[in-house]
Amino acid sequence: MDKRYTIFRYIAYSLEILILYVLQGTPVLIPEIFGGRPLFLIPVALTIAFFENEVTAMFFGLACGVLLDVGMGGNLGFYTIIMTLTGFIIGNIFRDYMVVSFINAMAFCSAFSGGIICLYFLLFYIFAGRGEVGYYFVNHYLSRIIYTIAVSPVFYFLNKSLYKGLRDV
């Protein structure tokens, strides 16, 4: 009986991830602001990690990473590895050391979202030796970072309500 709510919650998280993957990949549905579109799956994986234990967060981070790698094209494996490690680390931090609050969640979402996107830019744009690095970062990646951080509160409250509404009593 108690495990039923956990299974429903995991199914709800999975449906959320799949729906947002489709929305993120639809070309005209989400408008570009200053040349960048948000990466919905990064804050979704992070907000799931705030509420779940580290193993569950790691597997949802893995799922989000695989979908990001497939949807973004190009460098397969980067988001898979980073999101898996990030889910495990954040799940462990918030299970043992920190209290989940809106301020803490937004600080972690901002830091990790910005860090992951900047690391991607560093590895696959700067180290690849492409030209006009500053122009490309300002016109494409900076807006992607800001846009991703701006949608994080929506996913925080959505996953908080899923966790509180479908948890074992």
Side-chain angles (χ1 to χ4, degrees):
M1 176 91 172
D2 292 335
K3 296 291 181 187
R4 180 181 65 187
Y5 293 112
T6 303
I7 292 169
F8 285 145
R9 188 171 65 241
Y10 292 170
I11 291 171
Y13 289 150
S14 300
L15 287 174
E16 174 189 9
I17 289 169
L18 288 174
I19 290 169
L20 290 172
Y21 170 71
V22 170
L23 290 176
Q24 178 178 306
T26 305
V28 185
L29 187 62
I30 305 298
E32 285 188 11
I33 297 179
F34 301 114
R37 296 176 62 201
L39 300 177
F40 290 145
L41 297 180
I42 292 175
V44 167
L46 296 175
T47 56
I48 289 172
F50 296 142
F51 301 108
E52 299 294 337
N53 64 24
E54 65 271 7
V55 175
T56 303
M58 180 181 68
F59 282 113
F60 280 110
L62 174 70
C64 288
V66 167
L67 290 174
L68 274 171
D69 279 334
V70 169
M72 298 285 288
N75 306 304
L76 292 176
F78 172 78
Y79 285 114
T80 302
I81 293 168
I82 293 297
M83 295 304 295
T84 303
L85 291 173
T86 301
F88 182 80
I89 290 167
I90 289 182
N92 193 14
I93 287 172
F94 277 90
R95 183 181 58 95
D96 292 335
Y97 303 110
M98 294 191 75
V99 175
V100 178
S101 69
F102 180 72
I103 300 297
N104 288 342
M106 290 307 101
F108 271 79
C109 275
S110 299
F112 276 86
S113 295
I116 289 168
I117 296 170
C118 285
L119 182 62
Y120 184 86
F121 178 76
L122 180 72
L123 291 176
F124 299 110
Y125 199 82
I126 294 177
F127 290 162
R130 297 182 182 177
E132 299 182 4
V133 175
Y135 172 81
Y136 198 72
F137 182 78
V138 169
N139 288 325
H140 295 284
Y141 279 83
L142 188 59
S143 59
R144 183 177 292 167
I145 292 168
I146 293 169
Y147 208 174
T148 301
I149 293 170
V151 298
S152 295
V154 173
F155 302 127
Y156 170 77
F157 288 114
L158 176 65
N159 288 328
K160 181 179 179 179
S161 65
L162 285 175
Y163 178 74
K164 290 202 180 247
L166 296 173
R167 96 181 133 158
D168 301 333
V169 179

